[in-house]
Amino acid sequence: MYFEEIQEGMAIPSATYGPMDRYKHIPIAIILRDTNPLHLDRVYAQERGMPDVVQQGPLNETFLYRFLTDWLHRPWDLRKTKIRFAANVFPDDLLTCGGTVTRKYYENGEPRVDCQIWQQNQKSEQILVGEATFTLPERT
Amino acid sequence: MAPDRKTLIGRVFPDVKYHISEEDLKDYVAVAEETHLSFMNDGDARAVGYERRVIPPSFAPYISIIGLLRAFDWKEDFYLDYKTGTAMFGEQELEYLRPLYVGETLTIHSSVTDVYEKTGRRTFDVAKITFTVTDEQGVLALRGAQSYILFK
């Protein structure tokens, strides 16, 4: 995909990930140095009204980023993200990510594309909603 | 009675250094199933125009969150005890000013820029922390903001 081919309103190809794996919470907790029991201890999570352990928010984001950066020419063509955490993810959930182009323009001579991005689970509940800005190469 | 968290606005946290280690990246790439070759070796990264091996952009939020979690203490800085309270992510803004590389040591500088109360099904505070991430030369590489929902 090149900048010239982008049109406002066009969909970015969606991608589905999962089922989510509770055992991935452990390396993520180690990487984040965050042992919040909400992510690791089912009894603790259930005492707080959750059906199961809650997947770490950054791990939910990982899949939204992958959906977008796997589609870009180069991963670091990403320029900005603004993401709202709307709901929790639990083990065995499936996460579908999608997006829609909202604007194409130049900033400081660089081609830029703004888009709405979202992630939802298998029940069509919004998990993450937000915006992203990226650059794409020009054909000419 | 819980202390008023609005008094936290303006609090500057100590700077935190984070080294993007091979170990963290190896663990992360496996969990995230990130497969772009520029994350794997210098040669493939150079082939697509990077100086050397880059990290996945999806790891950038982790760096900011690691920095914040090391900068503050939930109990002392936000009056939140895991035994009785819950903290959740609200909104996150990030601006990527350049690629981030494996082996870099970054400095995360953060401060509380807003706190406000909201009422949904429950009443909670939203605390917004603004941060910058600079490299070893002091050049800005990443900046943004992270808000946390702190249930009362």
Side-chain angles (χ1 to χ4, degrees):
Chain A
M1 180 65 65
Y2 288 88
F3 185 66
E4 291 88 338
E5 294 157 8
I6 286 282
Q7 293 177 359
E8 292 175 4
M10 73 181 284
I12 299 168
S14 64
T16 298
Y17 304 93
M20 295 296 114
D21 178 356
R22 69 178 67 243
Y23 296 105
K24 287 191 173 182
H25 300 189
I26 298 167
I28 294 298
I30 292 168
I31 290 167
L32 288 171
R33 284 79 164 165
D34 178 15
T35 55
N36 185 338
L38 194 66
H39 309 301
L40 304 169
D41 183 340
R42 180 156 43 181
V43 173
Y44 177 94
Q46 288 175 337
E47 283 172 354
R48 280 152 183 78
M50 304 294 173
D52 203 332
V53 288
V54 176
Q55 182 159 289
Q56 291 100 333
L59 186 52
N60 306 344
E61 282 189 292
T62 288
F63 299 103
L64 189 58
Y65 273 74
R66 272 191 54 197
F67 139 78
L68 192 56
T69 58
D70 285 353
W71 181 72
L72 297 176
H73 276 247
R74 305 187 311 159
W76 284 94
D77 287 346
L78 191 62
R79 295 290 179 264
K80 291 180 193 172
T81 51
K82 183 175 182 179
I83 294 170
R84 182 169 62 84
F85 295 76
N88 291 318
V89 172
F90 298 99
D92 302 322
D93 279 355
L94 293 173
L95 299 180
T96 298
C97 303
T100 305
V101 172
T102 55
R103 186 179 166 223
K104 62 183 285 192
Y105 56 101
Y106 288 88
E107 186 167 307
N108 300 323
E110 182 181 70
R112 292 261 177 126
V113 177
D114 290 345
C115 60
Q116 300 280 351
I117 51 174
W118 51 264
Q119 179 182 80
Q120 66 182 30
N121 65 13
Q122 68 282 1
K123 293 181 271 188
S124 299
E125 295 166 332
Q126 293 285 327
I127 302 297
L128 300 173
V129 286
E131 301 153 22
T133 300
F134 54 85
T135 186
L136 282 175
E138 294 174 287
R139 231 177 237 295
T140 50
Chain B
M1 188 175 165
D4 182 0
R5 291 191 176 110
K6 289 189 184 72
T7 61
L8 300 172
I9 296 171
R11 179 172 294 199
V12 177
F13 298 117
D15 285 355
V16 170
K17 288 198 184 298
Y18 174 69
H19 177 70
I20 305 175
S21 70
E22 291 284 350
E23 292 78 13
D24 278 358
L25 194 71
K26 187 177 168 192
D27 289 347
Y28 177 71
V29 167
V31 170
E33 300 173 26
E34 289 274 18
T35 56
H36 197 277
L37 291 174
S38 63
F39 310 145
M40 306 303 166
N41 63 73
D42 289 342
D44 284 309
R46 288 193 192 104
V48 293
Y50 298 124
E51 284 175 23
R52 53 195 162 90
R53 183 155 65 112
V54 292
I55 66 167
S58 65
F59 195 66
Y62 289 75
I63 292 172
S64 61
I65 291 163
I66 290 166
L68 298 184
L69 291 176
R70 285 189 191 170
F72 62 71
D73 180 270
W74 285 117
K75 199 165 186 174
E76 287 182 16
D77 292 311
F78 287 103
Y79 317 129
L80 182 91
D81 187 340
Y82 274 145
K83 290 176 189 155
T84 55
T86 304
M88 302 186 86
F89 289 112
E91 194 168 270
Q92 179 189 79
E93 295 173 51
L94 286 171
E95 185 175 5
Y96 315 90
L97 301 168
R98 68 159 176 79
L100 297 175
Y101 299 97
V102 181
E104 283 195 277
T105 299
L106 302 166
T107 301
I108 300 106
H109 177 78
S110 59
S111 61
V112 180
T113 48
D114 199 9
V115 176
Y116 54 93
E117 188 180 85
K118 278 188 89 169
T119 302
R121 276 177 289 181
R122 294 163 65 185
T123 300
F124 55 88
D125 287 326
V126 179
K128 182 176 180 181
I129 304 168
T130 301
F131 59 86
T132 58
V133 178
T134 51
D135 64 19
E136 284 133 293
Q137 286 71 47
V139 176
L140 195 57
L142 179 70
R143 66 182 163 207
Q146 175 71 56
S147 69
Y148 286 97
I149 293 168
L150 307 170
F151 288 103
K152 300 194 178 223

